[in-house]
Structure formats: C-alpha cells, structure tokens
Amino acid sequence: MREIELSSGTIAYHDRGTDGPTTVLLHGLLMDASLWDAVGADLATDHRCVVPTLPLGAHRHAMRPDADLSLTAVARLVAELLDRLDLQDVTLVGSDTGGALVQLLMADGTPRVGRAVLVSCDAFDNVPPGLTGKTLVLAGKLTPRLFGLFMRQMRVRALRRLPIAFGRLTRRGDAVTAGWIEPVTTRTDICRDTVRVLRAVAADRGVLLAAAERLPRFIRPALVVWASEDRVMPPAHGRRLAALLPDARLAEIPDSHTLVPLDQPTRLARLIREFTHTSSRP
C-alpha cells in the first residue's frame, strides 16, 4: 500500500490498474480497503482503482489528536485525497458508511467527481444503520480502553456472526471481517480514533437527511446498487435515492447481505464497469 500525509494524518491506499476510467472505492465503519479486494482486482483490468483505508476504525495510522472525525470531515478528507492525487472525472463508489461519504460529496458538488455509485449504504434517517450500527454507537460511549475490550469479543466467530455484529452485513465474507477487528483490539490510539468517530455519528444523526435535500442538484450520472434482501439498509432507501437523483440507474442484487463487495463481487464489478463505460463523458 502507498501512503499520503493529509491534513488529519496519514492515509494508506491502494493504487492499481490501467489508464482507464478512475474509480475511487470507499469502505464503511470498522472496515478497511480489503472490502474492495475482489472488486478492485476485477476492475483493475481496465480501470484505475484507488482504494483508501479511511480513519473509520480499522485503519493502521492514528489520526492527529485534534483531527475532526465526523462523517462530514472524513468526506472532506476524501476530497482532499482526490485533490492531492490530482484525480479527474472520478467514479466515486461507496458501500455501507462509504456510501454516506459519497452522498456528502455529491451534495457538496465536489468537482472531481464525474459519476457516483452508491452500494447498499446509510441513507436518510438510517444513521446509525441496523443493529450493528446502533450497537457500535452505544459501545462508543465507553472509554477507548473499555471499547477495545468490548471489541475483543468479536475475535470469536460465533459472536462476530451475531446480528449485532457482522452477521447481517455479509453472508460469505467472515474471513475478511475478522481482519478488520485487529486494530481496535491491539492499538489504544486506534481505539481513541474509533470512539471519536462513533461519538460524532451519535451527535449528528441528521447529517444524511440534510444531504438528501441537496442530492437532486447532483446532475452527473449515478448508479444505485442495492442488496434486494438487505436487512440493515432498507431496499426502499435504494429506490428512494435513485428517484431523487436526476440521472440515476437502479440495480438490485439478490443473494447478498449489505456488503455486496464481499457477497457478490463479480456482479458488482460488472455493474460498475458497464456504468463507467456507458456514462463516460465525451
């Protein structure tokens, strides 16, 4: 992985692929860039794929003590990354909380974003989403040390597969989710960052409702991909997002939980590829 120093701290990222369309793939809370390994490997045959590990709980570089770690600030950090890497006409893709970040950047009209893909993600009033999100935000009231002790229980597969953990997020990706637990169970500085993120989410639950009011101004192409059986991110939210956006397509994927990049990576990569190729600007 490469690293870049941004205003809030050091961000690690993958940058691979060809000179084709540039895609930037964003993960969710308590996840890292490995969420996109299979999709990124597929797309990299004819795309440039940039995949950062954001400071959302599974990162390896602690942020500065004074860094703002609210969702709005992390979205700004993504915009800063696009600027620093001088990425143009980006297809910005977000899953889970990563989709919330994409919505915030769409609402702000970030000029480097040429098109957007929202994949089963937080939206409207579904913040924090589902049992998993609500449990994490509740645990975020603990001290960083106690939060780390709480998260150590997730090392046990049976507990990790519970609905309050990753059980409703992925059907097939448990091996990947196990790796996401390591930073908060071994590093007190990462625990501190994660608790700050969770407390910021709890303090601003209306952030996506406010963003949704501005989404109709995003007139660039958009693709909304949703797991049709999602029990964390309501499929009705996917349809509602697609209806809000002036130039949007909707695709629903069966046999998947929320984390479509883990459960259906081949289908998702195909949808993104078709979207970037058919919506490319002249």
Side-chain angles (χ1 to χ4, degrees), residues 267-280:
R267 291 186 186 185
L268 179 57
R270 183 174 67 246
L271 286 168
I272 295 173
R273 176 175 286 110
E274 291 172 354
F275 173 62
T276 57
H277 286 167
T278 58
S279 64
S280 294

Side-chain angles (χ1 to χ4, degrees), residues 83-146:
D83 287 341
R84 289 286 302 280
L85 297 180
D86 194 23
L87 303 180
Q88 306 286 344
D89 196 25
V90 169
T91 299
L92 191 61
V93 186
S95 169
D96 194 81
T97 318
L101 302 178
V102 173
Q103 290 170 63
L104 292 172
L105 291 169
M106 293 166 73
D108 284 347
T110 304
R112 293 182 182 271
V113 177
R115 59 195 64 76
V117 182
L118 300 171
V119 185
S120 280
C121 57
D122 310 30
F124 306 111
D125 60 349
N126 193 29
V127 181
L131 283 173
T132 302
K134 290 175 175 59
T135 301
L136 280 175
V137 166
L138 185 62
K141 296 181 180 181
L142 300 171
T143 65
R145 178 178 173 277
L146 289 176

Side-chain angles (χ1 to χ4, degrees), residues 235-246:
H237 281 185
R239 295 188 284 270
R240 186 175 165 192
L241 283 169
L244 269 179
L245 296 163

Side-chain angles (χ1 to χ4, degrees), residues 188-202:
T188 56
D189 51 356
I190 301 300
C191 274
R192 282 195 295 270
D193 282 356
T194 308
V195 165
R196 288 161 61 200
V197 172
L198 293 171
R199 291 178 181 178
V201 169

Side-chain angles (χ1 to χ4, degrees), residues 36-86:
W36 294 102
D37 280 355
V39 173
D42 190 327
L43 288 176
T45 59
D46 55 0
H47 288 65
R48 178 184 179 186
C49 294
V50 177
V51 193
T53 288
L54 301 169
L56 293 174
H59 52 298
R60 270 65 176 179
H61 298 287
M63 296 294 102
R64 295 193 176 95
D66 61 346
D68 183 351
L69 295 181
S70 65
L71 291 184
T72 301
V74 177
R76 287 197 299 265
L77 202 63
V78 173
E80 184 181 349
L81 177 69
L82 303 185
D83 287 341
R84 289 286 302 280
L85 297 180
D86 194 23

Side-chain angles (χ1 to χ4, degrees), residues 109-189:
T110 304
R112 293 182 182 271
V113 177
R115 59 195 64 76
V117 182
L118 300 171
V119 185
S120 280
C121 57
D122 310 30
F124 306 111
D125 60 349
N126 193 29
V127 181
L131 283 173
T132 302
K134 290 175 175 59
T135 301
L136 280 175
V137 166
L138 185 62
K141 296 181 180 181
L142 300 171
T143 65
R145 178 178 173 277
L146 289 176
F147 179 77
L149 291 173
F150 169 79
M151 289 304 300
R152 284 182 190 176
Q153 314 311 308
M154 297 301 107
R155 292 174 171 175
V156 179
R157 187 182 186 280
L159 296 178
R160 206 166 51 245
R161 299 303 301 156
L162 290 174
I164 64 169
F166 292 98
R168 289 184 177 174
L169 292 181
T170 177
R171 288 183 170 181
R172 304 176 180 87
D174 181 67
V176 179
T177 66
W180 297 339
I181 306 300
E182 181 190 0
V184 291
T185 59
T186 59
R187 301 260 308 268
T188 56
D189 51 356

